[in-house]
Amino acid sequence: MPRLSDTMEQGTLVKWHVKEGQQVESGQVLADIETDKATMEMPTYDAGKVARIVCETGSNVAVGETVMILAEEGESIEEAIKSVGAEASEGESGAGAEHAAESKSKAPAAAKPAQAAGSAAAAAAAPSPGAGTSNGAGSASGASGANGAAGRMLVSPLARRIAEENGLDLKSIKGSGPQGRIIKRDVLAALGQSDETGESETAAAPAAPGAAAAPVSMPAAPLGGKVALSNMRQTIARRLVESKNTIPHYQVSVSVNADPLLDLRGTLNEQLKSQNVKLSVNDFLVRACALAIHQHPHFNAAWKGDSLQIGERINIGVAVALPEERGGGLVVATLRDADRKGLRQISAETRALADKARGKGLSLEEMSDSTFTISNLGMYEVDFFTAIINPPNAAILAVGAAMKKPVVRNDELAVGHEMSCTLSCDHRIIDGASGARFLQTLKQLLENPATLLV
């Protein structure tokens, strides 16, 4: 199980994309893994044949555990399984034994499938601390040894066999694979030979394991039933509780005359229809908030205990609700440098991120580094609500629907559209008056939307 995020300690196998006996190529997606942040794709670094799938769908597996054994090119399935088993014994009797035992105790969920795979899986019981690019699924050897911390040598079974057949001391070879793993190409290079396949065994081939996969499905909750929480749902719960318990929230609200904005939006969408551009109210909100932050930089700050860190870039986070039929949940997609982008670009990027979030899923990069967040429930005809701050942001804006209602315009009663905007602020960073001034600026921008075009 590779570490697919900086805080990942275990992952849930959502879906296998390969089956035993299947030939796979370097970079091919093997499985979808649900981490604490998102559902990610797990690629393989090596080409070969799937010798054994060790962990079943739905298993919670600690980082470093073996989830699959891959027979590399020139290696039979039996040899791959046997070699992993041999390395498991070697690892447990050597320097990695203590670490392996520790890992086993920490990952009971993985113990059963590990036993099912014989001693092979036990080799992977040594997690790779800090292994951001660990290739636990990439090959048997990748999972079989943790080089750094345990002091063991990472070497693929095929590379080991070639070295042994040629009397080559592996200690004299510097590995070029993930975490310095010695792979076939390294051994061949040491022997003065080339890899005739021309295929790379290095980590360069696979797409970054940040590419996210479809969100995990959550089974429908029967009345009176009990539903297990996904890693994502648990993370959402933990972060929200942490936010409410550690950040002193307060809210300020303002009602915005949405008629000018709706009129301009209608005009622009009509004129841009032939270009397949359709601006949403949220696109104007993103632009307006980004410009307002320029006048109120503390809304781009993060609390650092004894100081405030004012962000250099204005990255607006947009909350995206995931489909209930796919497990639900909420992610925040990040629009970087939103203050430097026009409405058309904001619209295109927001739409692309939202579609990806609800389909394939967002990468970690696409969900990180937001400095201010917008949550808009207007499409559900909600007229007012408050939101919980998304740490380490200093504030979040909750936006309701533009409701048609009786209003007073120019001292006369009329029918118009009003939209509520409610700020939740971190009182350690933003005082009440500061929050009110930010809303005042935002209201002016939204009620004079032509200013958002330049």
Side-chain angles (χ1 to χ4, degrees):
M1 175 62 69
R3 191 185 301 277
L4 299 174
S5 76
D6 53 350
T7 57
M8 177 180 172
E9 296 296 334
Q10 65 176 17
T12 300
L13 263 164
V14 177
K15 179 182 179 181
W16 280 108
H17 293 289
V18 296
K19 56 186 178 182
E20 292 183 354
Q22 180 178 338
Q23 183 70 31
V24 296
E25 303 300 327
S26 178
Q28 183 173 339
V29 175
L30 301 176
D32 292 342
I33 305 294
E34 189 204 19
T35 72
D36 58 335
K37 293 184 176 178
T39 301
M40 319 285 289
E41 292 178 344
M42 180 178 70
T44 175
Y45 293 103
D46 306 301
K49 184 174 289 186
V50 179
R52 176 167 291 176
I53 291 177
V54 178
C55 297
E56 299 176 350
T57 299
S59 301
N60 288 317
V61 187
V63 170
E65 293 282 353
T66 295
V67 294
M68 194 195 83
I69 299 173
L70 184 72
E72 296 177 283
E73 187 175 343
E75 185 180 37
S76 69
I77 289 178
E78 293 74 18
E79 288 175 330
I81 296 174
K82 183 179 178 181
S83 63
V84 174
E87 291 199 356
S89 300
E90 176 186 336
E92 292 186 350
S93 61
E98 181 180 350
H99 202 169
E102 179 184 354
S103 177
K104 283 180 178 179
S105 66
K106 288 181 178 178
K112 185 175 181 180
Q115 291 169 358
S119 57
S128 306
T133 56
S134 171
N135 187 23
S139 71
S141 62
S144 67
N147 196 4
R152 295 171 54 199
M153 180 180 294
L154 277 172
V155 53
S156 78
L158 180 59
R160 183 185 296 277
R161 193 185 69 186
I162 295 174
E164 290 174 352
E165 290 174 352
N166 290 274
L168 189 63
D169 185 2
L170 288 169
K171 295 179 181 177
S172 64
I173 301 175
K174 183 178 181 181
S176 62
Q179 300 177 264
R181 183 166 61 108
I182 299 173
I183 57 179
K184 174 186 174 184
R185 188 177 64 181
D186 301 323
V187 177
L188 292 178
L191 294 170
Q193 303 176 15
S194 61
D195 187 350
E196 295 179 354
T197 66
E199 295 179 350
S200 172
E201 289 184 294
T202 71
V216 63
S217 297
M218 179 182 289
L223 291 175
K226 189 175 183 181
V227 177
L229 296 178
S230 66
N231 287 340
M232 180 189 294
R233 178 62 67 182
Q234 292 182 49
T235 299
I236 291 173
R238 184 172 62 251
R239 284 177 57 83
L240 291 179
V241 170
E242 177 186 349
S243 176
K244 288 292 286 185
N245 285 342
T246 60
I247 298 177
H249 284 62
Y250 73 91
Q251 283 79 31
V252 286
S253 296
V254 70
S255 182
V256 175
N257 174 8
D259 286 330
L261 191 155
L262 294 178
D263 290 344
L264 178 62
R265 173 176 173 258
T267 300
L268 291 175
N269 281 343
E270 184 63 30
Q271 295 175 353
L272 295 171
K273 191 174 183 180
S274 61
Q275 300 177 39
N276 199 29
V277 175
K278 187 175 182 179
L279 303 175
S280 69
V281 171
N282 209 64
D283 300 331
F284 287 86
L285 287 165
V286 170
R287 173 77 172 156
C289 287
L291 295 182
I293 289 173
H294 265 292
Q295 300 181 40
H296 306 273
H298 277 55
F299 280 77
N300 211 47
W303 178 258
K304 294 296 181 182
D306 58 354
S307 63
L308 298 181
Q309 180 65 50
I310 309 293
E312 296 180 353
R313 303 169 66 185
I314 297 176
N315 302 328
I316 303 296
V318 177
V320 179
L322 303 180
E324 290 291 337
E325 61 272 17
R326 305 191 69 171
L330 182 73
V331 296
V332 176
T334 302
L335 287 163
R336 298 177 185 276
D337 300 316
D339 56 316
R340 303 177 186 176
K341 296 175 179 174
L343 288 170
R344 182 196 294 253
Q345 187 175 359
I346 289 173
S347 178
E349 290 189 16
T350 302
R351 188 182 302 274
L353 288 170
D355 289 346
K356 188 179 178 186
R358 294 174 179 132
K360 187 178 180 180
L362 297 176
S363 68
L364 290 177
E365 183 180 7
E366 291 165 332
M367 294 187 292
S368 61
D369 302 330
S370 68
T371 55
F372 182 91
T373 302
I374 298 173
S375 181
N376 187 346
L377 293 181
M379 66 288 291
Y380 300 108
E381 300 184 358
V382 171
D383 60 350
F384 172 85
F385 72 104
T386 61
I388 298 174
I389 295 172
N390 177 35
N393 292 180
I396 183 172
L397 182 71
V399 182
M403 306 295 286
K404 193 174 184 179
K405 60 175 64 175
V407 295
V408 175
R409 304 272 195 254
N410 300 320
D411 293 330
E412 292 184 0
L413 186 63
V415 176
H417 292 85
E418 293 283 312
M419 181 172 66
S420 71
C421 293
T422 303
L423 267 178
S424 294
C425 301
D426 184 342
H427 214 321
R428 299 171 300 179
I429 302 174
I430 302 167
D431 295 328
S434 298
R437 285 192 288 270
F438 178 89
L439 281 182
Q440 193 175 40
T441 301
L442 184 66
K443 178 181 172 72
Q444 291 172 351
L445 289 169
L446 293 174
E447 293 185 348
N448 299 277
T451 58
L452 303 176
L453 301 180
V454 294

